[in-house]
């Protein structure tokens, strides 16, 4: 028996239409350092139409890749919708990769057009001679484009392109399984690998973000995506916020603590997402400068293990709740969020115990633990194995790269080593490639980092494996101290000694700026 439901495609276009019609009065705010510029969803939508029409006039057809090389701005959001809605594939380029990696990625993806922020033209110009498939550079803002000229591709101005495009456009019907966007992983070995998101996976991931058990945006929220839009689609925050009608506050390139603090105080965001380094710097700034972040109802933190000490200090000093998220480029990326279970009293040590975990699996993602022999392990909070995941927004392959070692009978091998409780709470102990193998025993670099970050004199810490003649590998602790006289290596060893087994304590230390 078949259902009577309509076979209606789930698409980025459907997200776009909903936001522009139902929430046309919501706004997009772009920070310019000292000033902000604003546009309503309705106004942004008209510009999306013009960009889509312009892309079509430039010859963009179904499946053509159009890259972006931009910070988080209104124009980047316009590209987020115009490119997939006209049938192209949005390819966000990570501006922080090495030049040779970026050149490889652009050529491998066969990008035809690159939309570039004006302040990033000098960086892109260094790559331009190596880019063999690019036909047009579209420059946003008033920037000197001379360095881009003469590199086989024509240089166009974004505003002129939009001004010359006719208003109104009839968007094509797009198969929900067609490519909507792509992002390359920046693995530590081999060339970066492309992950291609479908319209269907993007729509479903947006719904996933909006679950109350996840981030639960509504049109009463003001969302600040500090995580770059060139990094795993800014964790899906732009699409989810648009779907919910939440205002979007774009920080542009101003990601340092001082301008961020001003932006937060001026625009009063209620939700934000960023990596631990950003929140660490903001907290450090707030300790010596008046900083009002009281508008936040929640802050999502991910990208690496979130130190419990950071979460506790944010709660105690600033009154802000940090919730940890876990995922990866291959999972679109959200797969787990660390909200405590029901029955746990808020504001207690028990609540923080739960929030300090990696996260609870969200609806839409399935997970299993597998040991080195391929055996599936129980969710008992004790058994430790590699996380494997599957679901409608989890990749099942890489672009033009089968890489069978990364997939196991339909499951994605994440490389994360963890245990899982019977109710789906994940505790990652390390990345498989980062575990320190010392004398046949494993030392978790993540655990040592989290404990070091708990010391009041430590701003940041990273622990890595280094070769050792006797034990094969031993930990090297790399530490950034706060201003003033900080703890010595011996003092930090003693601090760690009260928290981990003595044989795990690093003998090697380095203090860096």
């Amino acid at each position: 028996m078949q259902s009577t439901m309509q076979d209606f495609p789930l698409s980025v276009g459907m997200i776009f239409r909903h936001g522009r019609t139902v929430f046309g009065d919501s706004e997009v705010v772009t920070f310019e350092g000292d000033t902000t510029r604003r546009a309503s969803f309705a106004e942004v939508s008209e510009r999306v139409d013009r960009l889509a029409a312009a892309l079509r006039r430039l010859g963009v057809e179904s499946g053509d890749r159009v890259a972006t090389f931009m910070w988080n701005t209104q124009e980047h959001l316009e590209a987020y919708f115009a490119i997939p809605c006209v049938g192209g594939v949005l390819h966000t380029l990570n501006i922080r990769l090495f030049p040779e990696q970026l050149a490889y990625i652009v050529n491998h993806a066969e990008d035809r057009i690159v939309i570039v922020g004006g302040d990033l033209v000098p960086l892109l110009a260094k790559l331009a001679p190596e880019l063999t498939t690019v036909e047009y550079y579209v420059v946003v803002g008033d920037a000197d484009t001379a360095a881009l000229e003469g590199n086989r591709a024509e240089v166009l101005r974004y505003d002129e392109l939009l001004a010359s495009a006719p208003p109104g456009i009839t968007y094509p019907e797009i198969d929900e399984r067609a490519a909507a966007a792509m992002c390359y992983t920046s693995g530590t070995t081999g060339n970066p690998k492309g992950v291609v998101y479908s319209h269907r996976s993007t729509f479903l991931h947006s719904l996933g973000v909006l679950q109350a058990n996840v981030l639960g945006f509504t049109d009463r929220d003001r969302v600040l995506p500090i995580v770059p839009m060139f990094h795993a689609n800014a964790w899906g925050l732009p699409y989810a916020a648009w779907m919910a009608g939440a205002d979007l506050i774009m920080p542009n390139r101003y990601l340092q603590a001082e301008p961020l603090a001003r932006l937060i105080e001026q625009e009063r965001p209620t939700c934000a997402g960023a990596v631990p380094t950003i929140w660490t710097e903001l907290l450090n700034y707030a300790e010596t400068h008046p900083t009002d972040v009281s508008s936040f109802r929640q802050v999502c933190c991910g990208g690496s293990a979130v130190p419990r000490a950071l979460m506790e200090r944010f709660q105690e000093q600033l009154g802000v709740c940090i919730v940890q998220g876990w995922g990866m480029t291959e999972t679109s990326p959200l797969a787990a969020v660390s909200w405590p279970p029901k029955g746990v009293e808020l504001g207690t040590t028990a609540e923080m115990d739960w929030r300090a975990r990696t996260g609870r699996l969200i609806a839409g993602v399935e997970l299993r633990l597998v040991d080195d022999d391929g055996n599936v392990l129980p969710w008992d909070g004790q058994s430790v194995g590699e996380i494997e995941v599957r679901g409608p927004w989890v990749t099942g392959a890489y672009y033009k790269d089968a890489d069978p070692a990364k997939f196991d009978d339909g499951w994605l091998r994440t490389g994360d080593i963890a245990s899982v409780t019977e109710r789906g709470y994940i505790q990652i102990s390390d990345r498989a490639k980062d575990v320190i193998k010392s004398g046949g025993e494993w030392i978790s670099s993540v655990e040592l980092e989290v404990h070091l970050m708990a010391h009041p004199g430590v701003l940041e810490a990273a622990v890595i494996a280094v070769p050792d003649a006797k034990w094969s590998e031993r930990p090297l602790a790399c530490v950034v101290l706060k201003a003033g006289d900080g703890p010595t290596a011996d003092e930090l060893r003693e601090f760690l000694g009260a928290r981990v087994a003595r044989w795990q304590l690093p003998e090697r230390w380095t203090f860096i700026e």
Side-chain angles (χ1 to χ4, degrees):
M1 182 179 181
Q2 299 295 311
S3 79
T4 61
M5 296 297 101
Q6 297 177 11
D7 186 12
F8 195 86
L10 306 177
S11 67
V12 173
M14 192 177 183
I15 299 174
F16 176 56
R17 292 192 299 272
H18 184 70
R20 82 181 298 176
T21 55
V22 177
F23 302 113
D25 58 348
S26 294
E27 68 174 356
V28 179
V29 180
T30 300
F31 191 41
E32 299 293 357
D34 295 319
T35 61
T36 56
R37 50 190 174 91
R38 302 169 184 275
S40 68
F41 277 20
E43 291 168 334
V44 171
S45 298
E46 292 176 3
R47 289 172 59 86
V48 170
D49 289 348
R50 288 182 176 273
L51 177 57
L55 292 173
R56 182 172 285 172
R57 287 171 60 181
L58 292 178
V60 172
E61 299 179 350
S62 178
D64 284 347
R65 272 72 74 197
V66 179
T68 58
F69 200 71
M70 290 191 281
W71 297 105
N72 294 15
T73 62
Q74 175 187 319
E75 289 79 11
H76 207 165
L77 182 69
E78 291 164 3
Y80 258 51
F81 286 110
I83 296 167
C85 285
V86 82
V89 181
L90 167 72
H91 180 198
T92 54
L93 297 173
N94 188 336
I95 67 175
R96 294 182 175 137
L97 294 182
F98 291 116
E100 55 269 26
Q101 288 181 309
L102 277 169
Y104 169 82
I105 287 169
V106 172
N107 292 330
H108 188 265
E110 299 176 283
D111 295 327
R112 291 188 58 196
I113 299 172
V114 180
I115 305 175
V116 54
D119 59 318
L120 294 171
V121 166
L123 182 58
L124 184 63
K126 295 177 182 178
L127 314 174
E130 308 300 322
L131 308 183
T132 59
T133 64
V134 177
E135 301 169 22
Y136 299 97
Y137 295 109
V138 179
V139 179
V140 178
D142 184 17
D144 184 355
T145 63
L148 279 177
E149 305 286 351
N151 286 293
R152 293 188 295 269
E154 184 178 353
V155 178
L156 305 172
R157 296 283 184 174
Y158 186 89
D159 286 338
E160 294 176 2
L161 199 63
L162 266 61
S164 65
I169 180 176
T170 301
Y171 288 101
E173 286 292 327
I174 298 175
D175 188 313
E176 65 175 19
R177 289 174 174 78
M182 67 190 307
C183 186
Y184 277 69
T185 66
S186 52
T188 56
T189 58
N191 288 318
K193 294 179 173 59
V195 175
V196 182
Y197 309 111
S198 68
H199 283 261
R200 177 176 182 267
S201 72
T202 302
F203 187 94
L204 291 173
H205 182 264
S206 301
L207 287 180
V209 172
L210 297 185
Q211 295 176 64
N213 277 343
V214 185
L215 299 183
F217 300 153
T218 74
D219 62 342
R220 295 178 177 85
D221 280 312
R222 291 171 66 78
V223 177
L224 173 62
I226 302 172
V227 57
M229 293 169 74
F230 56 71
H231 181 75
N233 289 349
W235 300 349
L237 302 183
Y239 286 132
W242 186 276
M243 180 182 275
D247 295 336
L248 276 160
I249 302 170
M250 300 299 197
N252 208 330
R253 65 181 183 274
Y254 303 100
L255 306 182
Q256 302 77 26
E258 189 274 331
L260 267 182
R262 281 194 286 112
L263 176 62
I264 292 166
E265 186 167 345
Q266 291 171 17
E267 294 299 330
R268 312 294 292 166
T270 60
C271 305
V275 298
T277 301
I278 294 288
W279 300 124
T280 298
E281 291 177 354
L282 184 62
L283 180 63
N284 195 45
Y285 176 83
E287 289 176 349
T288 55
H289 300 80
T291 304
D292 181 4
V293 295
S294 60
S295 60
F296 283 131
R297 69 174 178 86
Q298 68 182 25
V299 159
C300 184
C301 191
S304 62
V306 183
R308 177 175 179 142
L310 175 64
M311 302 170 72
E312 290 174 336
R313 290 172 190 165
F314 247 83
Q315 192 83 56
E316 295 165 3
Q317 298 176 32
L318 301 178
V320 173
C321 170
I322 288 184
V323 61
Q324 190 164 184
W326 171 77
M328 52 202 306
T329 302
E330 290 90 336
T331 63
S332 295
L334 282 182
V337 176
S338 65
W339 291 115
K342 62 183 178 183
V344 175
E345 185 178 348
L346 301 182
T348 62
T349 300
E351 185 212 8
M352 188 59 69
D353 290 342
W354 288 101
R355 275 204 275 138
R357 292 174 182 260
T358 304
R360 177 172 56 185
L361 201 64
I362 67 178
V365 179
E366 295 188 344
L367 176 151
R368 70 181 186 182
L369 286 181
V370 178
D371 66 16
D372 289 341
D373 296 322
N375 301 310
V376 177
L377 302 174
W379 288 12
D380 57 11
Q382 302 296 322
S383 302
V384 176
E386 182 181 3
I387 295 175
E388 296 184 349
V389 291
R390 65 182 182 184
W393 60 75
V394 178
T395 196
Y398 292 107
Y399 180 60
K400 295 194 290 189
D401 185 348
D403 196 8
K406 282 286 291 183
F407 301 93
D408 179 9
D409 192 27
W411 296 76
L412 169 71
R413 299 184 62 188
T414 67
D416 284 323
I417 305 300
S419 61
V420 184
T421 72
E422 61 181 6
R423 297 302 178 203
Y425 280 91
I426 305 163
Q427 183 60 63
I428 291 177
S429 53
D430 223 328
R431 293 281 296 162
K433 66 181 187 308
D434 293 337
V435 168
I436 300 164
K437 302 174 180 67
S438 179
E441 300 290 342
W442 284 9
I443 299 174
S444 168
S445 65
V446 170
E447 184 180 10
L448 293 180
E449 290 165 359
V450 167
H451 287 313
L452 282 171
M453 288 282 287
H455 192 287
V458 172
L459 182 64
E460 292 181 294
V463 178
I464 61 174
V466 293
D468 184 88
K470 181 177 181 181
W471 302 108
S472 179
E473 291 180 347
R474 290 296 294 165
L476 164 66
C478 309
V479 178
V480 180
L481 298 177
K482 292 185 177 179
D485 294 331
T488 65
D490 287 341
E491 289 169 341
L492 289 175
R493 263 182 67 90
E494 287 305 309
F495 182 80
L496 275 180
R499 292 159 176 81
V500 301
R502 302 290 297 186
W503 65 270
Q504 297 184 8
L505 298 178
E507 298 86 9
R508 299 168 176 87
W509 296 79
T510 183
F511 294 88
I512 57 180
E513 295 296 325

